[in-house]
Structures are given as structure tokens and as C-alpha cells.
Amino acid sequence: MFNIVLVEPEIPYNTGNIARTCAATGSTLHLVKPLGFSTEDKYLKRAGLDYWDKVKVIYHENFQELKEKYPEGRFFYLSTKGQRYYHEVTYKPGDFLVFGKETRGLPQELLEANKEFTFRIPMLPQIRSLNLSNTVAIVVYEALRQIQFPDFI
Ligand SMILES: C[S@@+](CC[C@H](N)C(=O)[O-])C[C@H]1O[C@@H](n2cnc3c(N)ncnc32)[C@H](O)[C@@H]1O
């Protein structure tokens, strides 16, 4: 349905939680290397529970490689630096929702090159950022709401 892209994720239980969200929403999970953990990590597996076999996971050596694989893809970048809100996008099935690493977010040059496709989730001003796995859930469920949760119960 949607494509969730994690660029260089660092914390295994975040990626495990996100894998569970992907299983629940029929989203494909794209993991862009380098990863900050082993794919055998016990926290990664535990956070994803027994849902791992229900998720399509695709690994990419770097972000450029991923973009070249999907030349027709529509890419939306999630960052605290986005000038517009995430719910202002009109999402379509197959869209790529791109999230940054826990410590540093998405690379500055990627954000600079994609300003008009970069969106933020509103927060009170004194807060630096939301947890990565929470942002994925917020955005993918907004995207699904817009397409009216096809086949969901
Ligand atoms: C913990 S945050 C990274 C924090 C980093 N200092 C920054 O400002 O980007 C990890 C990722 O979660 C997503 N994220 C967290 N809070 C967000 C927000 N309010 N709006 C949009 N994306 C957010 C972004 O994709 C970000 O790259």
C-alpha cells in the first residue's frame, strides 16, 4: 500500500515497532544502510513480535540506490524542518514516506534538495522531535485515512 523508508535507523526497537506497524498497514519497509544494529538483534526481533514474516522488507545500500530503483515513485520526506504539515499532502497508494535516523534526522543535503516535498508533524515549540516509530505511525495512518482504509477492519 505505502512504502516506509528508514534512512540509516539506529535503534533496533524503533525499527521493530515500525515493522509491526508495517505489518498492520500492509506497508513495505525499506531499510537504507548502514543500519545501527544487526538484523539478528534480539530487541529488533522482540519489538516486531511474530509479525516479521508478514512484512516485506527491502534493504538498500544507500538512498540513491533506492531512488534509482523507483524512478516513478513519489517521495515525501518527514522532518522537523518541514515548512508544511504532513496532513496537507494528498497521499496516493505506493507513495514513499521517508524518515531519518534517530540522532540526526535526514541528511541536510537531501532536505535542501527536496524542500517542497518535506513535511512536519506539528509540536509545541519547546520540543525537539517525536520518536521515530511514532512519526511513522502518525503519517502512515493519515495516508490510509485519506484513501479510506481499503480492506481494513
Ligand atoms: C528523532 S527524529 C530526529 C531528530 C533530529 N534531531 C531532527 O531534528 O531531525 C527521527 C526522525 O523522526 C521523524 N520526526 C520526528 N519528529 C518529527 C516531526 N515533528 N515532524 C516530522 N518528522 C519527525 C523525522 O523523519 C526524523 O528524521
Side-chain angles (χ1 to χ4, degrees), residues 40-57:
E40 294 305 308
D41 186 284
K42 68 177 178 188
Y43 295 106
L44 177 76
K45 292 196 178 235
R46 197 178 292 163
L49 297 178
D50 52 341
Y51 297 114
W52 277 104
D53 62 347
K54 297 181 176 57
V55 187
K56 184 173 181 193
V57 185

Side-chain angles (χ1 to χ4, degrees), residues 78-81 98-106 119-123 128-132 135:
L78 280 302
S79 167
T80 53
K81 301 180 184 85
V98 184
F99 301 83
K101 61 163 95 176
E102 288 91 339
T103 49
R104 303 185 56 183
L106 287 167
F119 297 86
R120 78 174 189 279
I121 301 169
M123 301 178 296
R128 285 195 303 278
S129 67
L130 292 164
N131 168 274
L132 172 61
T135 66

Side-chain angles (χ1 to χ4, degrees), residues 81-106:
K81 301 180 184 85
Q83 297 299 305
R84 287 188 289 151
Y85 291 147
Y86 74 106
H87 59 268
E88 294 180 70
V89 179
T90 301
Y91 298 97
K92 290 186 187 158
D95 284 348
F96 288 77
L97 311 174
V98 184
F99 301 83
K101 61 163 95 176
E102 288 91 339
T103 49
R104 303 185 56 183
L106 287 167

Side-chain angles (χ1 to χ4, degrees), residues 113-137:
N114 293 284
K115 272 189 186 146
E116 61 182 307
F117 302 107
T118 301
F119 297 86
R120 78 174 189 279
I121 301 169
M123 301 178 296
L124 291 174
Q126 62 270 33
I127 301 301
R128 285 195 303 278
S129 67
L130 292 164
N131 168 274
L132 172 61
S133 60
N134 288 337
T135 66
V136 171

